[in-house]
Amino acid sequence: VGGVHQLVALLGNEDIDVLLKALGALINLALNDKNKVEIREVGGIPKLVALLSSRVRPVQEKATEAVWNLAGNEENRIAFLYAGGVQKLLELLESPETSIQAKAAGALGNMSINLEAQSVIRQSNGIEKLIVLLSSTFTPARQKACSALENMALNAENREKIRDLGGTRQLVALLLHPQEPVQRAAIGALKNLSIDDENKHAISKCNGLRSILRMLTSEDATIVEKATEALGNFALNSEYRVKIREIGGLPTLIALLHTNDYKLQLSATGALLNLAVDDENKVAIRLAEGIPSLVTLLKSPYHEVAAMCAMTVANLAVNHENALAIRDAGGIQALVELLKEPDRKST
């Protein structure tokens, strides 16, 4: 009882060994949501922010890790922001210790979920500092910088700045990194960046569209999902609908419809929905046996998957031969069955 309060009180202890043990305990406790709240309520956040400036590197590193864990809570993110935590973390991106750089980037990744924190990061040259870390020789620093940029790229102004600073090109290059955690973080950032036409062009210019397509064969389901969503963003543009077909993207996306992962089914169907706007793609999807696969998913127990399939089938049915193929695959009956389910009529 009162253990968290006592540990937070020890953050002001001048004995480094005691301080390090208290920080280690708080790092572990901060993995728990209830403890995240309690640490804030007993005044832990200002003390941890102060320790980010410690001249003792192990103290600085453990304080950064504690902030990282605590910043998984929105109220904590706000408290860190107003305590000056974002600026301190940005300073630590330039620490001579690569492990501290990585943990600071991880903490900023959590902080950047908050829109106000994003603004502070951008205005304090944080995007520039994160992009510098993309070239780090320390793999965790690269990965955490990518993850932070993934969140930052949800904002249009940030997307423009990342592109202008050369971040888009560097992220495409990281898709070739041998370690999956880096690939996962890089494709996540590129997925969000590809919302903008200018970034689509920047990605395509450095052969990024082919690299994204190669990600669809990854054994990591998250990488495949994010890559598929990125292709769906590209497919909103007529130029890239053609290009995705020309580089062989349609059969790969259709193959994903057969996975047992409903998230992959949903993202693949979403990409095909956009691609099916193009008349030549309508034909190509039929020739690649996409229609029977889509009709099968009209019977999916997942409402979102069935809805996406119904919209994709609607796009494809504009073509007469496709309409016949949909009928022959049992598509009309599958659509009628959907209408019989009261909670799925919107599908």
Side-chain angles (χ1 to χ4, degrees):
V1 177
V4 169
H5 189 279
Q6 292 176 25
L7 287 168
V8 169
L10 289 174
L11 295 181
N13 198 295
E14 294 183 1
D15 185 319
I16 298 302
D17 288 337
V18 172
L19 180 54
L20 288 173
K21 288 177 182 177
L23 283 167
L26 287 169
I27 286 169
N28 293 330
L29 287 168
L31 294 170
N32 175 277
D33 289 342
K34 183 178 178 180
N35 291 336
K36 284 181 172 69
V37 174
E38 187 174 355
I39 291 169
R40 181 187 73 248
E41 290 179 343
V42 297
I45 286 178
K47 292 185 177 183
L48 286 168
V49 170
L51 290 175
L52 294 178
S53 300
S54 172
R55 294 183 180 181
V56 180
R57 291 280 165 74
V59 170
Q60 195 176 57
E61 182 167 357
K62 284 185 177 292
T64 305
E65 189 171 356
V67 170
W68 182 2
N69 290 347
L70 286 166
N73 172 289
E74 177 61 13
E75 289 186 32
N76 287 356
R77 287 191 282 270
I78 295 169
F80 277 121
L81 177 65
Y82 288 106
V86 171
Q87 288 88 345
K88 295 290 185 182
L89 291 168
L90 289 171
E91 291 172 10
L92 292 178
L93 292 180
E94 298 175 313
S95 168
E97 298 291 335
T98 55
S99 58
I100 292 179
Q101 293 175 2
K103 289 173 182 176
L108 286 165
N110 281 348
M111 287 296 304
S112 62
I113 295 171
N114 178 277
L115 296 180
E116 191 174 352
Q118 280 193 22
S119 179
V120 172
I121 292 169
R122 181 179 63 252
Q123 293 168 7
S124 304
N125 297 321
I127 291 176
E128 289 90 334
K129 293 179 180 182
L130 289 167
I131 288 174
V132 168
L133 280 190
L134 296 181
S135 302
S136 172
T137 57
F138 187 55
T139 297
R142 280 182 158 187
Q143 177 197 345
K144 298 308 176 186
C146 287
S147 296
L149 289 171
E150 177 178 359
N151 287 340
M152 294 295 291
L154 290 169
N155 173 280
E157 191 173 347
N158 292 344
R159 290 194 292 272
E160 181 180 0
K161 191 158 191 175
I162 292 168
R163 183 186 70 251
D164 290 345
L165 292 168
T168 302
R169 174 180 49 78
Q170 291 189 55
L171 288 163
V172 169
L174 287 176
L175 294 180
L176 301 177
H177 194 279
Q179 295 190 22
E180 285 186 343
V182 177
Q183 295 176 11
R184 189 184 308 125
I187 189 60
L190 289 167
K191 176 200 72 174
N192 291 341
L193 287 167
S194 64
I195 293 170
D196 294 338
D197 287 345
E198 294 84 356
N199 271 315
K200 289 184 179 75
H201 177 72
I203 293 168
S204 180
K205 189 177 179 180
C206 52
N207 209 29
L209 197 53
R210 288 182 182 275
S211 296
I212 292 172
L213 182 58
R214 282 195 294 270
M215 293 290 99
L216 298 188
T217 61
S218 171
E219 294 182 359
D220 185 297
T222 301
I223 290 175
V224 177
E225 181 185 358
K226 291 182 177 182
T228 306
E229 290 176 1
L231 289 176
N233 288 340
F234 271 93
L236 291 168
N237 182 294
S238 59
E239 174 187 353
Y240 298 112
R241 287 196 286 269
V242 173
K243 193 163 186 177
I244 291 169
R245 181 183 72 246
E246 291 177 344
I247 63 176
L250 292 174
T252 309
L253 287 166
I254 289 168
L256 290 176
L257 300 179
H258 300 281
T259 181
N260 291 324
D261 188 326
Y262 88 94
K263 290 183 179 179
L264 292 182
Q265 292 174 348
L266 183 62
S267 58
T269 308
L272 289 168
L273 168 66
N274 294 340
L275 288 162
V277 172
D278 180 89
D279 288 341
E280 290 188 48
N281 283 346
K282 287 181 174 69
V283 175
I285 290 170
R286 182 183 75 247
L287 295 177
E289 298 298 322
I291 288 176
S293 301
L294 288 163
V295 168
T296 296
L297 286 182
L298 286 173
K299 305 166 190 174
S300 170
Y302 299 102
H303 175 89
E304 298 90 342
V305 174
M308 197 70 75
C309 279
M311 291 187 287
T312 306
V313 166
N315 278 352
L316 291 169
V318 174
N319 176 286
H320 180 66
E321 291 185 35
N322 283 358
L324 297 177
I326 291 166
R327 180 199 64 194
D328 294 343
I332 294 175
Q333 184 59 36
L335 289 166
V336 170
E337 290 300 319
L338 284 175
L339 291 175
K340 293 179 180 179
E341 301 180 36
D343 59 336
R344 301 182 71 179
K345 285 186 178 180
S346 61
T347 303

